[in-house]
Amino acid sequence: MKDRPCHHNHPHHGHRPSLRTPVLSLDQETIAYDGCIALNDISLQIGCGEKVALIGPSGAGKTTLLRRLYQLRPGECAFIHQQYALVPQLSVFHNIYMGRLDHHSTLHNLRTLIRPGLREREEITVIAESLGLAEKIWTRTGALSGGQQQRVAIGRALYRGGSILMADEPVSSLDMVQGREIIQLIVDIGQTVISSLHLVELSLEYFDRIIGLARQQLAFDLPAGQVSQADLDELYG
Amino acid sequence: MVRTSLSFLALAGIALLFSDLSISTLDPWQELGRMLQGMLSPRITDPWELARGLARTLSIALLGISLAVAGGGLFALYFDHRPVRLFCAFIRAVHELFWALLLMPLMGLNALCAVLAIAIPYAGVFAKVYAEIIQESERQATDSLPPGVSRLSGFFFTTLPLIYRDLKNYTSYRFECGLRSSAILGFIGLPTLGYHLETAFSEAHYSEAAALLYCFFLLIISLKYWARPGFIVVPLVAALLLTSWESSLSLANITRFLSYDILPWPMREAGFYDGSRSVAFSLWPTLLWCKQVLVEQALPGLWLTLLLSQIVLVGSGLFALSGFPPATTPLSSPAGRGLAHLLLVALRTTPEYILAYCFLVLWGPSMLPAIAALVLHNGAILAYLSARDADGIPLPFDASEGRLNRYCYELLPRLYGRFLAFLFYRWEVIMRESAILGILGLHTLGFYIDSAMSVDHLDTAMLLILVTALANMGVDSCSQEIRRRLRISAEFTSST
Amino acid sequence: MRPKTVVNTLIALSALLWLGDVAWGQELRFTAIPDQDTARLEQRFTRIADYLSQEVGIPFSYVPVKSYGASVQAFKNNQVQLAWFGGLSGVQARMAVQGSQAIAQGEEDQHFVSYIIAHHSTGLQPAETLPEAMRGMSFTFGAKGSTSGRLMPEYYLRLHFTQAPEKIFQTVGFSGDHSKTIALVQSGSYQLGAVNFKVWEKELTRGTIDPGKVQVIWKTPEYPDYNWSIRGDLDQQFGQGTAAKIRQALLSLDDPALLDTFPRRRFIPADNSLYLPILETGKAIGIFR
């Protein structure tokens, strides 16, 4: 992430979103699956360097919106999945390595599966260290705790690289303490961050822009400081 | 897990060194051409016979499996008792063909014999798998029941609802196996599809044989459209009402079978030729007879059976691992999947005997045709199960597009444990299947059993069946031990 | 139930009703495995059953079986009371049921022979004695319980080579069936095979045999083969004189269409003593102990 800055000179925290160079934008987007509306008439722009939280009741369309945003720039986005996207039988190393499967030839990938090369070892060790997983790098991912597994998922996104970090409910299966750690990590390492979250207080605490989704529609899109209890009540009401 | 796989691979390699893999055919093309011509020009000579064969195959499978589900379910509830476990291990260690051969003298060649021949070994299998599923189910609901609730009512109110899906998945898979077994029982004269198939095939009426096979493929493919819990009751009731239960089960026959026919020969020898049917108990000659059967038939048969099953086990595994990708959603297009599934149905539904014959014509008698036939048959079953398993694996939407990448990183690591579990389940099946290989001149245990049966040496056959059952139980407990060590189970959920 | 399910139910029920088996009544049952063309046995032998019912005056029905072993078991267990056996299965069956009698045989069955056939690549030529060059080749019998496909050929092989077939040959298979033996030797899958002379000659006239690829290299001496046998308690079960009537009906059968089912020119009287050589042969090779 660090090696790929925004195409914008000085991203400052606290600015109005509209003032930044938009890296992702949707214009009156409607998505339907099998005749069911999944997103209805959504327009939004996300600027470089923003930290955006998506909140709303389950079924509101958060995941769909995230995926749609991802598709806008798949080459620049890294996606942190919920834990199920990890392969529990593979080592931490390999799960992180999977972030760049499509950057390498299949032959190289096969070789790495059996015997990883020196370069990959070094690169991934650096990432693992930054996530506090240095000692676990050859451990089966399935044997790790929930928090550690979530770090592996982050590691995969980090290794993939790209200026936009997306996360779908990254802390849904963690307790509050672990959840805070992980969110802090995501917000720190990502340049532009978009994450769906089911915990409103964490969103308000760590993100600077909050998008509320309800019934497949945009309910509100406000800086974190301006979200009122009334907004939230209406969103979840 | 990797180490276990590699050691199995090495064992199979060593087994190959001991095997005769020569190719000795000279003019296979005329016969193969006739077979191919038959396959391309299927002909139904008697639609009525075909329909009746299909209906009987279906009825016998339905009734056999239903009985097995009931029996197996009951045993599963009491599976923590050692005698129950041993009993189940024993009844499933004897192949349905041997059960049929054993029951045939008692009740004749009829539907009842066929139904029981399927129901008995399948009940043993169901008991074991159901018990495993129950064991892995959440126990909280059961544990929170007030004391004094009977095990059975506790089961119906708490455990069953939790595991219903798994039971259903597994049972539906076994139903397909039951249909295959039902058809195969026709080979020894029971009134199912295999009866006509074997006739057409051995008379070299290949067009007719092809038509019968294709109809059977269609029946298997159609399963997923109608074999559902809600509907299955209807054909089941129909089968129950309409199967001819006429059977010549007579007490005299059973008594004679148990108290005379299966007694060791030295005990019967004196009274056999003079017609008196007298039995003389003689320990030493009986022991000598046992020793002779064991040394001359059981041991060489066991050696060849183990050799063959080890090679086939690994071969089937390799075939399945390379054969399932075209049949699974994450790796294949819908058209490709359809084609792959068709091929897998054809391979796993064509009786091994027919496959073995084709390869025999192609390569001449050696272990090679046996290996090829059993690997294709079992590999296709494993590939089908693995593909079904892979279909249930949710891939992240941004997973690598490369198919080999997906295969190696996403699918294989996830399903390998379960794949090994399936494979070890097949181990004992493969051991039992080697019985069909007499045509290849391979003297496996099954060959000796069939030989003894065909010359009315029921005592020898019984002793050999006992040895086979013990060997199967050994292999079974060995595979269980390996699975326990690797902490893998087949968990028949399609993990979503 | 939704309407669709109801319709499905009705279709399934009626289909199975229509296909359902009709239970047998109290009849005299018989079985038969002809040495060739085992297709549609039920239709073909139902006509024999009709003939016997008419001549004997009690209902007959045909029970199809697949193997000699199964026919012996059926006879032993009184599931059939009359059977058209091979030489060997006849002896086995009659020994298992006291008082059982061979009552008739085909005219051809007095002078049955088996052929040893060889693929042309073996270089073996027709000879008076079994050629020594057979050793170490691959060989297939027919069915394990067959007189012409296994018992007699094995007996003469043992007699000549004084060894078990497994020792004489490199591989010994059991094709299960005379036609398959011919097909397997013709394709060179097995170098040698033992086959019933009637099946060989029929396939020769049908043109399925290519004389350039496979030929007869040796003939066994003559032996008695197929026969009609009845259970010892047949008269008790169906009334005095039934056995005699059946025998008479078989001996006077002269409809070529019916005789062709077996296929035999006609049936002639037979008795148990005719098959003593089979018993002795069976003892010699360990089928009878």
Side-chain angles (χ1 to χ4, degrees):
Chain A
M1 310 269 132
K2 293 149 210 156
D3 53 337
R4 300 185 69 179
C6 297
H7 309 293
H8 178 78
N9 293 336
H10 303 288
H12 299 295
H13 289 259
H15 276 216
R16 288 287 306 164
S18 55
L19 295 181
R20 297 166 187 241
T21 315
V23 286
L24 298 167
S25 64
L26 292 175
D27 187 23
Q28 297 184 326
E29 189 84 8
T30 297
I31 295 174
Y33 298 116
D34 304 327
C36 259
I37 302 271
L39 281 181
N40 194 7
D41 192 28
I42 304 260
S43 299
L44 76 104
Q45 292 193 327
I46 291 173
C48 188
E50 281 195 279
K51 318 283 182 190
V52 184
L54 287 179
I55 62 170
S58 62
K62 290 174 294 197
T63 302
T64 312
L65 179 57
L66 271 175
R67 288 191 182 189
R68 181 71 192 100
L69 289 169
Y70 177 88
Q71 281 157 7
L72 293 175
R73 298 198 166 191
E76 291 164 43
C77 296
F79 203 101
I80 302 172
H81 294 271
Q82 292 176 0
Q83 280 158 12
Y84 75 77
L86 297 175
V87 183
Q89 293 84 355
L90 289 182
S91 68
V92 169
F93 173 90
H94 286 107
N95 267 292
I96 295 179
Y97 177 78
M98 283 171 74
R100 277 200 201 167
L101 278 180
D102 44 5
H103 293 203
H104 297 290
S105 74
T106 303
L107 207 65
H108 181 87
N109 291 337
L110 283 182
R111 202 192 87 118
T112 308
L113 193 61
I114 297 159
R115 197 178 174 77
L118 202 61
R119 219 187 72 199
E120 282 81 19
R121 280 174 196 250
E122 281 171 1
E123 288 171 357
I124 288 172
T125 307
V126 171
I127 292 176
E129 273 168 1
S130 74
L131 295 168
L133 290 169
E135 317 225 304
K136 304 274 182 190
I137 192 160
W138 300 112
T139 310
R140 263 186 61 215
T141 308
L144 301 181
S145 72
Q148 287 170 324
Q149 290 194 14
Q150 201 58 59
R151 284 165 193 269
V152 177
I154 295 171
R156 184 189 285 182
L158 272 180
Y159 186 61
R160 179 173 182 80
S163 58
I164 305 164
L165 189 59
M166 294 183 174
D168 188 11
E169 296 288 358
V171 298
S172 60
S173 56
L174 305 181
D175 63 36
M176 212 48 174
V177 180
Q178 280 183 322
R180 279 178 194 282
E181 269 176 48
I182 293 291
I183 292 286
Q184 183 71 58
L185 199 60
I186 291 174
V187 171
D188 285 349
I189 60 176
Q191 193 165 38
T192 307
V193 177
I194 310 162
S195 174
S196 63
L197 277 174
H198 67 292
L199 295 168
V200 177
E201 45 178 314
L202 286 187
S203 324
L204 296 176
E205 199 171 325
Y206 290 97
F207 291 83
D208 45 41
R209 176 178 167 193
I210 312 291
I211 295 176
L213 276 179
R215 287 172 293 279
Q216 290 73 47
Q217 281 177 319
L218 222 52
F220 60 80
D221 180 358
L222 296 166
Q226 295 174 24
V227 179
S228 68
Q229 191 55 44
D231 291 330
L232 294 174
D233 288 346
E234 202 184 316
L235 192 65
Y236 290 98
Chain B
M1 218 177 283
V2 175
R3 198 180 306 161
T4 312
S5 309
L6 288 179
S7 34
F8 266 81
L9 211 59
L11 266 179
I14 296 169
L16 275 177
L17 294 180
F18 286 97
S19 320
D20 168 22
L21 301 176
S22 54
I23 293 179
S24 58
T25 318
L26 301 151
D27 322 286
W29 303 113
Q30 190 187 356
E31 178 77 357
L32 288 177
R34 280 161 72 197
M35 282 194 234
L36 191 69
Q37 203 181 357
M39 276 172 65
L40 296 177
S41 58
R43 199 181 64 236
I44 296 174
T45 41
D46 187 344
W48 165 253
E49 197 176 73
L50 173 71
R52 234 162 49 136
L54 280 171
R56 281 164 163 176
T57 306
L58 197 57
S59 313
I60 286 169
L62 268 169
L63 294 168
I65 294 291
S66 311
L67 263 183
V69 166
L74 198 66
F75 290 138
L77 288 182
Y78 298 92
F79 213 65
D80 44 353
H81 297 291
R82 198 180 162 79
V84 174
R85 270 207 308 279
L86 274 176
F87 176 73
C88 289
F90 180 77
I91 60 175
R92 73 168 177 269
V94 178
H95 192 267
E96 52 265 26
L97 267 177
F98 295 151
W99 274 117
L101 286 172
L102 277 179
L103 292 170
M104 204 174 74
L106 295 181
M107 44 189 66
L109 285 166
N110 47 45
L112 183 64
C113 172
V115 167
L116 288 179
I118 291 179
I120 295 172
Y122 277 62
V125 176
F126 279 136
K128 172 179 157 182
V129 176
Y130 286 178
E132 277 173 16
I133 294 177
I134 293 172
Q135 215 171 24
E136 281 158 20
S137 72
E138 308 258 350
R139 298 210 53 91
Q140 284 166 347
T142 316
D143 294 341
S144 65
L145 285 174
V149 173
S150 79
R151 196 189 280 232
L152 214 55
S153 42
F155 173 78
F156 278 110
F157 277 84
T158 57
T159 315
L160 187 61
L162 279 173
I163 59 173
Y164 178 72
R165 231 180 81 92
D166 294 0
L167 292 186
K168 198 185 76 183
N169 277 344
Y170 182 69
T171 312
S172 78
Y173 158 65
R174 288 307 293 190
F175 180 54
E176 191 196 307
C177 302
L179 262 178
R180 273 202 300 270
S181 304
S182 167
I184 296 295
L185 286 177
F187 274 52
I188 58 163
L190 290 160
T192 61
L193 203 64
Y195 182 91
H196 305 297
L197 183 59
E198 203 268 348
T199 307
F201 192 77
S202 62
E203 291 290 322
H205 297 159
Y206 294 128
S207 296
E208 218 173 303
L212 288 163
L213 255 184
Y214 295 162
C215 288
F216 192 48
F217 292 172
L218 287 179
L219 182 65
I220 295 282
I221 292 171
S222 77
L223 274 184
K224 65 174 169 198
Y225 301 108
W226 60 267
R228 307 204 160 140
F231 179 65
I232 204 87
V233 182
V234 177
L236 182 62
V237 170
L240 200 61
L241 290 175
L242 300 166
T243 303
S244 148
W245 293 115
E246 205 268 347
S247 144
S248 46
L249 196 60
S250 82
L251 195 62
N253 284 342
I254 297 175
T255 318
R256 197 204 55 231
F257 180 78
L258 293 176
S259 68
Y260 189 76
D261 287 349
I262 61 170
L263 292 185
W265 172 247
M267 294 165 68
R268 292 185 289 144
E269 190 171 9
F272 188 76
Y273 290 106
D274 64 17
S276 70
R277 296 288 180 274
S278 61
V279 171
F281 184 74
S282 48
L283 183 66
W284 185 241
T286 302
L287 285 177
L288 279 179
W289 168 83
C290 276
K291 190 191 141 208
Q292 195 188 4
V293 173
L294 288 178
V295 170
E296 288 175 7
Q297 306 185 25
L299 284 181
L302 187 63
W303 164 245
L304 192 65
T305 307
L306 285 174
L307 205 65
L308 184 69
S309 58
Q310 180 61 34
I311 297 171
V312 171
L313 181 77
V314 172
S316 313
L318 293 176
F319 177 89
L321 286 180
S322 51
F324 88 83
T328 188
T329 322
L331 295 175
S332 183
S333 64
R337 278 207 303 282
L339 206 65
H341 270 295
L342 212 60
L343 191 69
L344 289 182
V345 166
L347 285 179
R348 69 178 190 263
T349 313
T350 306
E352 304 95 309
Y353 166 80
I354 289 180
L355 292 175
Y357 180 78
C358 297
F359 289 118
L360 169 63
V361 171
L362 193 60
W363 293 327
S366 72
M367 249 162 102
L368 206 56
I371 294 170
L374 293 181
V375 160
L376 284 184
H377 179 78
N378 288 291
I381 292 176
L382 284 166
Y384 157 71
L385 289 173
S386 304
R388 208 173 68 161
D389 205 10
D391 282 343
I393 293 178
L395 286 191
F397 66 89
D398 58 343
S400 171
E401 287 296 320
R403 289 184 186 180
L404 207 56
N405 286 341
R406 282 189 176 195
Y407 178 76
C408 294
Y409 277 85
E410 300 275 8
L411 298 182
L412 198 56
R414 285 182 216 252
L415 56 76
Y416 196 66
R418 225 170 344 200
F419 164 79
L420 277 189
F422 286 140
L423 189 62
F424 289 137
Y425 276 126
R426 292 304 300 175
W427 197 354
E428 23 167 337
V429 181
I430 292 168
M431 269 195 63
R432 289 181 247 148
E433 277 172 345
S434 61
I436 49 131
L437 303 169
I439 193 174
L440 305 176
L442 290 183
H443 296 195
T444 58
L445 272 175
F447 170 87
Y448 287 113
I449 295 173
D450 182 53
S451 301
M453 287 279 187
S454 71
V455 294
D456 200 24
H457 294 179
L458 296 180
D459 50 349
T460 311
M462 279 301 281
L463 185 60
L464 289 171
I465 285 178
L466 207 67
V467 171
T468 313
L470 288 176
N472 274 331
M473 286 162 77
V475 161
D476 185 28
S477 64
C478 182
S479 85
Q480 215 156 5
E481 176 61 21
I482 292 173
R483 284 187 292 131
R484 196 184 58 75
R485 281 212 196 143
L486 297 176
R487 277 189 231 98
I488 49 177
S489 74
E491 296 165 34
F492 294 89
T493 33
S494 45
S495 57
T496 33
Chain C
M1 266 200 223
R2 286 173 298 134
K4 207 172 151 192
T5 320
V6 176
V7 172
N8 281 344
T9 310
L10 288 176
I11 292 171
L13 266 175
S14 48
L16 276 161
L17 262 174
W18 182 60
L19 297 166
D21 301 62
V22 185
W24 293 317
Q26 182 56 43
E27 308 142 316
L28 195 153
R29 291 188 208 143
F30 72 100
T31 187
I33 311 175
D35 49 8
Q36 47 192 295
D37 191 13
T38 52
R40 279 169 290 289
L41 289 177
E42 272 175 281
Q43 285 96 316
R44 288 158 52 204
F45 277 97
T46 302
R47 285 161 52 218
I48 306 289
D50 292 344
Y51 167 80
L52 287 173
S53 309
Q54 197 191 341
E55 293 291 306
V56 181
I58 48 173
F60 278 67
S61 75
Y62 172 71
V63 179
V65 295
K66 267 257 168 266
S67 67
Y68 295 109
S71 67
V72 172
Q73 297 299 338
F75 190 81
K76 212 163 140 179
N77 291 313
N78 199 19
Q79 287 145 1
V80 298
Q81 292 78 38
L82 168 71
W84 171 246
F85 282 122
L88 173 62
S89 46
V91 175
Q92 286 175 325
R94 289 191 300 272
M95 279 211 314
V97 182
Q98 250 186 323
S100 301
Q101 292 296 325
I103 54 170
Q105 62 177 340
E107 196 176 52
E108 298 91 325
D109 293 302
Q110 306 171 82
H111 313 290
F112 226 79
V113 290
S114 297
Y115 291 157
I116 302 291
I117 56 173
H119 190 260
H120 70 91
S121 68
T122 58
L124 297 175
Q125 292 302 319
E128 286 300 306
T129 53
L130 285 164
E132 199 58 26
M134 287 169 86
R135 279 184 192 278
M137 292 185 173
S138 59
F139 185 97
T140 183
F141 290 113
K144 285 171 182 164
S146 161
T147 311
S148 52
R150 193 242 175 129
L151 177 79
M152 284 301 166
E154 178 169 346
Y155 174 73
Y156 287 109
L157 284 169
R158 281 176 187 260
L159 199 65
H160 182 80
F161 291 100
T162 61
Q163 265 181 328
E166 290 75 27
K167 292 272 177 349
I168 309 170
F169 301 110
Q170 189 211 4
T171 319
V172 178
F174 288 90
S175 72
D177 177 81
H178 297 294
S179 307
K180 281 276 165 280
T181 303
I182 297 174
L184 286 170
V185 177
Q186 177 153 277
S187 70
S189 303
Y190 281 100
Q191 291 169 291
L192 300 162
V195 66
N196 169 322
F197 84 104
K198 290 198 60 144
V199 179
W200 173 266
E201 264 144 34
K202 186 187 150 204
E203 298 227 348
L204 209 55
T205 47
R206 256 185 24 189
T208 42
I209 294 174
D210 177 353
K213 284 191 175 152
V214 56
Q215 62 170 338
V216 176
I217 58 157
W218 192 73
K219 295 177 186 182
T220 63
E222 291 178 357
Y223 55 87
D225 201 352
Y226 286 78
N227 56 84
W228 281 104
S229 294
I230 50 160
R231 274 179 67 93
D233 55 3
L234 186 106
D235 278 0
Q236 279 169 37
Q237 288 187 60
F238 292 89
Q240 279 304 324
T242 312
K245 276 194 221 161
I246 294 173
R247 183 186 171 112
Q248 194 45 49
L250 290 171
L251 296 182
S252 58
L253 178 59
D254 56 4
D255 180 349
L258 291 183
L259 284 166
D260 204 38
T261 316
F262 294 91
R264 293 294 182 266
R265 280 196 295 276
R266 67 191 183 97
F267 292 118
I268 57 169
D271 59 62
N272 289 359
S273 64
L274 281 177
Y275 299 92
L276 281 175
I278 300 273
L279 175 62
E280 291 313 314
T281 315
K283 277 184 176 168
I285 72 170
I287 286 178
F288 294 110
R289 297 174 286 189

